[in-house]
Amino acid sequence: MSKRVLTTESGAPVADNQNSASAGAGGPLLLQDQHLLEKLARFNRERIPERVVHARGSGAYGRFEVTDDVTGFTHADFLNSIGKRTEVFVRFSTVADSLGGADAVRDPRGFAVKFYTEEGNYDLVGNNTPVFFIKDPIKFPDFIHSQKRDPFTGKQEPDNVWDFWAHAPEATHQVTWLMGDRGIPASYRHMNGYGSHTYQWTNAEGEAFFVKYHFKTNQGIRCLSTEQGAEQAGKDPNSHQTDLLQAIERGVHPSWTLYVQIMPAAEAANFRFNPFDLTKVWPHNDYPLQRVGRLVLDRNPDNVFAEVEQAAFSPNNFVPGIGPSPDKMLQGRLFAYADAHRYRLGVNHTQLAVNAPKATTAQNYGRDGLMASNAQGRHAKNYEPNSYDGPVETGRPLSAPLAVSGYTGTHEAPLHTKDDDFYQAGELYRLMSQEEKSRLIANIAGGLSQVSREDMIAKNLAHFHAADPEYGRRVEEAVRALRED
């Protein structure tokens, strides 16, 4: 059987892939050696800017199957009947470290799902925690800068990490999650995923509901202690990637059950705390989990760069029946995610195979730009309206309109009767066993005791005291003991 011929990128056959063309046997190389220049130029450009956050990631393909009727709450087509299946791509990631970081570290995990629906791609972008550190996107760059490498030292600095948290009391809830037992998942397969934000569902009658998504792992929750995480990171920095890849390759397909919490839109205004605050959870006693379907991952990407690194998720990719809420962090991310991909991958990143619709075809008037591949022929127009049978608007909004009132300007979120930055952090602490509390205290004290300024330590201690008196006392005692050693 004859072998296929190696060619240049323009398709010309390559005569010699072992030796560069030179001026004589021992002479300098020739500029006319197209194959050499093409190989070196492409090699120089093999890497794109890594994500500022969520750089270190893994991904897999699979399917989502509806198991329960939710048509009373949304008219989204991919959720319209029990048994309906939709192809998905899921990307997991750490948040703070760079592309070369280790997997088994104490850090939130990204949990992003792309549903290739018949009405277009729906991206659900979340984490493995139901809350986040901040509630307003204007603070997001500051938060990330405080958690990543210092511009001078080139490493993560406890002073920066805890200084930001000292000035962000709303972070206390997420800090309690992060420093607790679930701060280092044993693998991507053994953690939950959450939409985290509040979203809107709209049914066929136009009724609006606010929802929160919960992907519960069917493998069971498994986590690592601080010591186990350090050992794992040293043995195999790619431990989560290795686990996911090998499990799927040997036919062990990880799965999650999707549940939602559903709040009738009319109840949001008078709920006891702001239901659109990303630093808070909705108590299950108020809004119990309702099962929706099952997510299964059963196929590894063939090329990690093409399909994981170039995968682009954006929470503004909605489908009919699903839309945004007044969640401020979500509102900021509706712009920021898509803009990050336009920077990293180019304006035509949606034409890449992993990002393009699979169950339908994108039809619009976008043309040209870097790596454009949608010329669409000589008769296709690039303006609308037109008289040439181009795609037209439907006149049907994807979701129900959100009511607005008041004056433009910068506003703090209106206070509800039970709004507070510490109560839910205290509730989480009080749910823990004595052993879980002890590990949480040790994890917090291990970081906070390294802070150089006493006033910064005192500000953070005040947050734990406000969450729960015992919580604050134990953290304070543990920090003092470590600083006196």
Side-chain angles (χ1 to χ4, degrees), residues 66 75 78 115 169 224 230 247 253 272 276 314 362 382 392 407 431 443 447 460:
V66 178
H75 65 90
F78 77 104
F115 298 86
L224 303 176
H253 299 153
R272 62 183 179 275
F276 310 116
S314 177
N382 63 345
V392 297
Y407 297 93
L431 284 173
N443 291 333
N460 280 286

Side-chain angles (χ1 to χ4, degrees), residues 172 426 429-430 434 437-438 440-442 444-445 448 457-482 484:
T172 308
Y429 175 79
R430 290 184 287 274
Q434 288 302 318
K437 289 178 180 178
S438 295
L440 169 68
I441 301 303
I444 293 174
L448 189 53
I457 294 175
K459 287 179 180 177
N460 280 286
L461 290 174
H463 297 167
F464 301 120
H465 280 291
D468 183 275
E470 178 194 286
Y471 189 7
R473 175 182 57 78
R474 293 186 63 181
V475 173
E476 184 170 359
E477 290 173 351
V479 169
R480 185 186 308 119
L482 287 173
E484 289 174 351

Side-chain angles (χ1 to χ4, degrees), residues 135 168-173 277 279-280 419-425:
K135 61 181 73 174
E170 69 269 26
T172 308
H173 193 185
D277 181 346
T279 68
K280 293 181 173 62
D419 268 331
D420 137 336
D421 290 327
F422 306 110
Y423 178 76
Q424 289 198 352

Side-chain angles (χ1 to χ4, degrees), residues 102-323:
D103 286 340
V105 294
R106 188 170 297 278
D107 196 18
R109 300 299 191 275
F111 194 110
V113 185
K114 186 181 294 292
F115 298 86
Y116 298 104
T117 89
E118 295 172 16
E119 296 181 299
N121 290 352
Y122 172 45
D123 289 352
L124 181 55
V125 180
N127 286 325
N128 71 328
T129 59
V131 294
F132 196 60
F133 297 93
I134 53 176
K135 61 181 73 174
D136 193 303
I138 203 167
K139 295 305 300 174
F140 189 74
D142 301 298
F143 165 65
I144 295 300
H145 287 164
S146 74
Q147 308 298 299
K148 292 182 76 70
R149 297 176 186 271
D150 182 85
F152 170 63
T153 66
K155 60 189 183 72
Q156 192 178 47
E157 292 292 344
D159 276 12
N160 298 354
V161 171
W162 288 95
D163 186 31
F164 183 89
W165 288 343
H167 290 87
E170 69 269 26
T172 308
H173 193 185
Q174 173 72 320
V175 170
T176 305
W177 271 90
L178 178 63
M179 296 300 176
D181 281 358
R182 294 194 183 185
I184 312 178
S187 79
Y188 290 132
R189 296 184 296 127
H190 295 92
M191 69 181 194
N192 291 341
Y194 302 89
S196 301
H197 296 289
T198 301
Y199 294 90
Q200 185 204 74
W201 276 7
T202 310
N203 66 18
E205 289 71 42
E207 294 177 288
F209 304 86
F210 292 120
V211 300
K212 282 185 176 288
Y213 295 89
H214 301 249
F215 290 91
K216 299 287 189 178
T217 175
N218 295 321
Q219 290 69 239
I221 296 288
R222 284 183 50 203
C223 302
L224 303 176
S225 67
T226 300
E227 297 74 21
Q228 290 170 327
E231 181 180 2
Q232 185 68 268
K235 285 182 177 178
D236 179 8
N238 309 298
S239 57
H240 288 27
Q241 164 69 9
T242 301
D243 176 85
L244 182 66
L245 175 75
Q246 292 183 350
I248 294 175
E249 286 296 291
R250 66 176 185 267
V252 178
H253 299 153
S255 67
W256 290 259
T257 300
L258 173 61
Y259 299 87
V260 292
Q261 290 176 282
I262 301 176
M263 174 189 291
E267 296 181 12
N270 297 315
F271 194 63
R272 62 183 179 275
F273 60 82
N274 181 0
F276 310 116
D277 181 346
L278 184 55
T279 68
K280 293 181 173 62
V281 297
W282 295 356
H284 291 188
N285 287 338
D286 294 302
Y287 300 102
L289 296 180
Q290 301 189 43
R291 194 175 66 176
V292 180
R294 183 179 176 90
L295 172 70
V296 180
L297 300 182
D298 57 13
R299 180 166 67 89
N300 283 310
D302 293 324
N303 184 292
V304 172
F305 175 78
E307 298 165 89
V308 179
E309 284 311 299
Q310 293 195 126
F313 298 84
S314 177
N316 66 4
N317 288 341
F318 292 114
V319 292
I322 304 178

